[in-house]
Amino acid sequence: LLEEEVAVLSGEISDIDIEYDRKMEQLASSDNDFFRILEFYNESIGKYGFYAGTTDVTGQGIEISIDDGNPTSGTVSNFLLVHDSTLLNIVNELRISGAQAISINGERIVADTEILCVGTGIRVNGKKIFAPFSVKAIGDSANLYASFINSAAYKNVITADLLVSVLAYDSIKIPGYTGFSADNVKYLYD
């Protein structure tokens, strides 16, 4: 029964796609100005989506893997845990070093991203994530690597006895941010 319903709905979607394409072709031939404006808006959406971080991006960069420390290496304390401040310091260091896109466990970091401790996890973009953490950054991989290894953020991670590794890559992928909603901009107007 469910498979039949899916097949019917898939057919309806296909029919709507065909009708949409037909209407767009008619519009392009009958109202060229409107169609050019529509193309301009679609190009703008793609361009500004790229800048806003809503599109997937690929490029050279680094991946920082960080996990809670080894409790057998010394006294068990808060220092052995990855905190929101640890991740925030890493993100800020990557920004200072010229990172053009950053993610934590697949969550794209954008202008209004929050990084907050919530119990045993850390909330990023409204999603609770847990250690181990994978922080990816796209930019000049040699510069990002050298800057991070020589940063106060890295020294703090080492001092806190956290498990960390930093690897440079010729190509890594960072997904686009998907959390925008009307609530994100409900107080903005022009």
Side-chain angles (χ1 to χ4, degrees):
L1 182 65
L2 185 58
E3 292 172 352
E4 292 173 8
E5 189 175 335
V6 168
V8 168
L9 291 174
S10 294
E12 288 177 13
I13 290 171
S14 179
D15 291 345
I16 291 170
D17 282 343
I18 291 168
E19 181 65 16
Y20 173 81
D21 290 341
R22 190 180 67 72
K23 293 276 187 187
M24 290 305 287
E25 287 175 15
Q26 284 179 345
L27 188 58
S29 64
S30 66
D31 192 348
N32 201 13
D33 288 339
F34 174 80
F35 194 71
R36 280 186 291 139
I37 291 170
L38 179 64
E39 282 182 327
F40 171 77
Y41 282 125
N42 285 336
E43 288 172 9
S44 295
I45 288 170
K47 175 182 170 185
Y48 294 114
F50 175 78
Y51 293 128
T54 59
T55 59
D56 295 355
V57 290
T58 303
Q60 67 171 295
I62 65 171
E63 180 178 15
I64 302 164
S65 299
I66 184 166
D67 200 354
D68 295 335
N70 182 355
T72 61
S73 68
T75 307
V76 177
S77 71
N78 255 353
F79 288 113
L80 294 172
L81 300 175
V82 177
H83 292 282
D84 53 353
S85 59
T86 306
L87 294 176
L88 191 55
N89 287 338
I90 290 170
V91 167
N92 286 337
E93 183 58 44
L94 291 169
R95 285 180 172 152
I96 290 167
S97 301
Q100 297 172 357
I102 303 170
S103 70
I104 301 174
N105 286 20
E107 286 298 317
R108 180 75 167 266
I109 306 302
V110 294
D112 67 346
T113 293
E114 81 285 354
I115 300 173
L116 300 168
C117 274
V118 260
T120 59
I122 296 177
R123 189 175 70 205
V124 177
N125 292 335
K127 296 181 183 158
K128 196 171 183 181
I129 60 176
F130 300 92
F133 299 101
S134 168
V135 181
K136 293 182 179 179
I138 291 178
D140 180 327
S141 59
N143 180 57
L144 290 174
Y145 183 90
S147 294
F148 183 70
I149 292 296
N150 293 306
S151 71
Y154 181 73
K155 289 178 180 106
N156 289 339
V157 167
I158 298 301
T159 302
D161 206 16
L162 299 173
L163 305 175
V164 63
S165 71
V166 184
L167 298 171
Y169 292 98
D170 291 332
S171 180
I172 59 173
K173 183 176 182 177
I174 295 181
Y177 176 70
T178 58
F180 282 119
S181 70
D183 286 340
N184 294 85
V185 293
K186 67 183 175 186
Y187 298 108
L188 298 177
Y189 56 89
D190 54 11

